[in-house]
Amino acid sequence: MASSHFFLLLLSTFLTFLALATSGSIGVNYGRVGNNLPTPEKVVTLLKSQGINRVKVYDTDPVVLAALSNTNIKVTVDLPNQLLRPAALIKTFAVNWVDRNIVPYHPRTQIEAIAVGNEVFADPKNTTGYLIPAMRNIHQALVKYNLHSNIKISSPVALSALQNSYPSSSGSFRPELIRPVFKPMFDFLRQTGSYLMVNAYPFFAYESNSDVISLDYALFRPNAGMADSGNGLRYFNLFDAQIDAVFAAVAAVGFEDIPVVVTETGWPSRGGGNEIGASVENAAAYNGNLVRRVLTGGGTPLRPEVKLTVFLFAMFNENNKDGPDSERNYGLFYPNREKVYDVPFNLEGLKDYRPVNGSGSGSGLWCVASDVGKERLQMALDYACGEGGADCRSIQPGATCYDPNTLEAHASFAFNSYFQKTGRAAGSCYFGGAAHTVTQPPKFGKCELPNGY
Ligand SMILES: *[C@@H]1O[C@H](CO)[C@@H](O)[C@H](O)[C@H]1NC(C)=O
Ligand SMILES: *[C@@H]1O[C@H](CO)[C@@H](O)[C@H](O)[C@H]1NC(C)=O
């Protein structure tokens, strides 16, 4: 009795710490291509009320940057593609741009990064040749104002920059972009301690391949997963598979150490007749399950240790965007600031979050026993099956997971049960250090550990 209370104390002591240590981070893109959007002041009030503490904007609008000042919201700004040419060719242009658009706002407005251009390789006006020199010149300008250690520079890359993305382990960049762009970009990112920005849309892949990609796999709902024939890793959602294709492509160029931030992802709540999969239910499932996956789910199968930072696209439906109907319907909110559907934005919001029809866990994450010795493992197992309330019926004599009858197997089953049952809450795979998470399905004899909540 005394020892289990002590143990409980240990658990709760580490809970707060773990919430910080294991959780990824969610941001939102605040696009403004609409004629009916709320004022920036009202948008900032909305961001605060939703507990959103990271935003990305597509320019450096003075009213927006002023509205974001003296908040706890971190901001990524953008130097638009039209300015890449002068920023690349004229050093004083880059200095003046930083002087006018960054210096007056930072640090009251917490600018954490500058996106130099956006999806530059997909821009019909080919500005690819200006990208790297522009990034360097903007960095030099930040150095001049001694802002370079606080503000990172990068450039969001669309997944169309990949030559191969399936299976993920074969991920590679388009060959013509490697030498002129990606090598110098990764050198730059490494030297400046920055990260690669990636815009990833499982929706596009699903929309055009709905005959072979299952909707459950695209929406993080329970599914059998897909094995990567290259390395045998198992994927339980398309998002992870896309991000790992990027990690593989970056590694193939020789830069395993470059971090990745997902600067855009989303799912439209409406689309035209031929836009398969665009619906409120699917958008709610994608975004809700994605947020849960990022805040509770660890890294990807290829990079289990990374903490993901993911920016949802987008804050509002934007009625002036070009393209198919879906383009104007990615918003989490209507212009009148009402929710299109319910999505939590942080661990606090996740606690009360009850998805309408997006529940489940299409993200492979299990909790298993660590090698900490018999005594600690037994104590943790007793706690899990006792006060912890794990479902331990399957490890009783004669039940399906009694064999193999080892402490490691039984403890893993119990820890995993507790972990999934609590919705993979922060700190729920700890047990005083006797447990850890894995992204690949663990198997003990014929006993498969459940994945999902
Ligand atoms: C775009 O410009 C780069 C260099 O500036 C060039 O190498 C590339 O071939 C161009 N791409 C297209 C599609 O014109
Ligand atoms: C919930 O999702 C299932 C598919 O997993 C679907 O059959 C069902 O119609 C959905 N229910 C609602 C209310 O959208």
Side-chain angles (χ1 to χ4, degrees):
M1 201 60 189
S3 73
S4 92
H5 276 139
F6 168 70
F7 191 68
L8 207 62
L9 189 72
L10 255 177
L11 271 177
S12 57
T13 309
F14 282 102
L15 219 75
T16 334
F17 161 74
L18 267 153
L20 300 168
T22 59
S23 151
S25 166
I26 291 290
V28 178
N29 282 280
Y30 170 22
R32 295 186 303 122
V33 190
N35 61 10
N36 54 358
L37 297 178
T39 62
E41 291 79 9
K42 286 188 172 153
V43 174
V44 171
T45 304
L46 180 59
L47 293 169
K48 286 201 240 168
S49 73
Q50 297 296 316
I52 297 170
N53 50 26
R54 278 210 147 92
V55 291
K56 182 169 151 290
V57 293
Y58 291 87
D59 49 24
T60 49
D61 184 89
V63 181
V64 171
L65 292 184
L68 285 162
S69 70
N70 302 314
T71 63
N72 270 328
I73 302 172
K74 294 192 168 68
V75 185
T76 297
V77 299
D78 188 79
L79 177 134
N81 288 356
Q82 311 83 277
L83 301 184
L84 285 175
R85 186 172 187 275
L89 298 181
I90 311 161
K91 277 194 198 306
T92 53
F93 179 92
V95 172
N96 288 336
W97 187 86
V98 167
D99 185 46
R100 275 202 311 271
N101 298 286
I102 306 293
V103 174
Y105 304 103
H106 188 84
R108 268 168 301 135
T109 300
Q110 294 179 51
I111 299 173
E112 63 171 340
I114 301 171
V116 174
N118 186 41
E119 302 193 349
V120 171
F121 319 127
D123 189 341
K125 297 194 197 73
N126 185 0
T127 49
T128 300
Y130 303 120
L131 177 58
I132 303 302
M135 289 171 79
R136 289 194 182 122
N137 285 345
I138 296 293
H139 179 252
Q140 277 309 308
L142 288 183
V143 170
K144 188 172 143 72
Y145 292 99
N146 198 26
L147 292 173
H148 56 291
S149 36
N150 296 329
I151 302 176
K152 302 298 179 197
I153 289 177
S154 188
S155 183
V157 171
L159 277 197
S160 55
L162 292 177
Q163 177 85 2
N164 284 314
S165 61
Y166 182 83
S168 301
S169 58
S170 73
S172 63
F173 289 112
R174 273 160 42 198
E176 74 275 15
L177 292 173
I178 291 177
R179 202 189 46 82
V181 191
F182 281 116
K183 278 201 167 155
M185 186 194 285
F186 297 155
D187 270 327
F188 172 85
L189 297 178
R190 185 184 268 169
Q191 277 159 21
T192 56
S194 185
Y195 45 83
L196 178 62
M197 295 176 166
V198 173
N199 295 351
Y201 285 89
F203 170 70
F204 295 145
Y206 173 74
E207 185 191 22
S208 44
N209 302 283
S210 59
D211 49 337
V212 288
I213 297 176
S214 91
L215 189 59
D216 288 337
Y217 184 68
L219 297 180
F220 306 84
R221 293 197 299 222
N223 64 91
M226 307 252 289
D228 184 315
S229 55
N231 56 16
L233 290 173
R234 205 157 186 89
Y235 285 89
F236 292 88
N237 65 75
L238 185 50
F239 174 85
D240 280 19
Q242 289 190 336
I243 301 311
D244 270 357
V246 173
F247 276 122
V250 175
V253 185
F255 292 82
E256 297 228 11
D257 55 320
I258 303 287
V260 167
V261 164
V262 180
T263 35
E264 281 186 20
T265 189
W267 196 284
S269 61
R270 236 179 101 167
N274 56 349
E275 298 191 84
I276 298 168
S279 74
V280 172
E281 290 73 26
N282 291 347
Y286 180 79
N287 285 303
N289 286 332
L290 169 70
V291 170
R292 180 138 57 167
R293 183 251 170 282
V294 170
L295 295 180
T296 66
T300 62
L302 210 52
R303 294 278 191 279
E305 305 305 326
V306 306
K307 286 181 233 168
L308 293 169
T309 299
V310 175
F311 289 80
L312 306 181
F313 186 90
M315 198 64 190
F316 299 105
N317 285 338
E318 296 171 66
N319 66 357
N320 280 345
K321 291 203 89 165
D322 295 331
D325 287 351
S326 60
E327 283 293 317
R328 292 170 288 286
N329 290 285
Y330 275 89
L332 301 161
F333 295 87
Y334 294 108
N336 68 5
R337 290 174 283 156
E338 277 175 20
K339 289 176 176 181
V340 180
Y341 43 82
D342 197 21
V343 174
F345 296 103
N346 52 32
L347 285 170
E348 202 53 41
L350 210 53
K351 279 189 200 147
D352 315 316
Y353 173 62
R354 294 285 169 273
V356 179
N357 196 18
S359 85
S361 173
S363 64
L365 199 69
W366 295 262
C367 183
V368 295
S370 299
D371 189 7
V372 293
K374 269 194 158 154
E375 206 168 310
R376 283 177 68 189
L377 218 47
Q378 185 67 52
M379 186 161 79
L381 172 60
D382 292 346
Y383 170 78
C385 295
E387 285 166 76
D391 184 352
C392 295
R393 283 171 299 184
S394 302
I395 50 175
Q396 303 311 313
T400 47
C401 287
Y402 181 69
D403 281 323
N405 181 13
T406 65
L407 192 53
E408 189 206 354
H410 286 186
S412 294
F413 188 92
F415 295 168
N416 186 62
S417 163
Y418 179 83
F419 176 62
Q420 307 291 356
K421 213 174 131 168
T422 56
R424 302 175 175 176
S428 66
C429 181
Y430 188 66
F431 297 98
H436 65 279
T437 57
V438 292
T439 63
Q440 294 299 299
K443 237 181 147 232
F444 294 94
K446 286 193 180 125
C447 173
E448 284 178 33
L449 269 48
N451 172 38
Y453 31 77

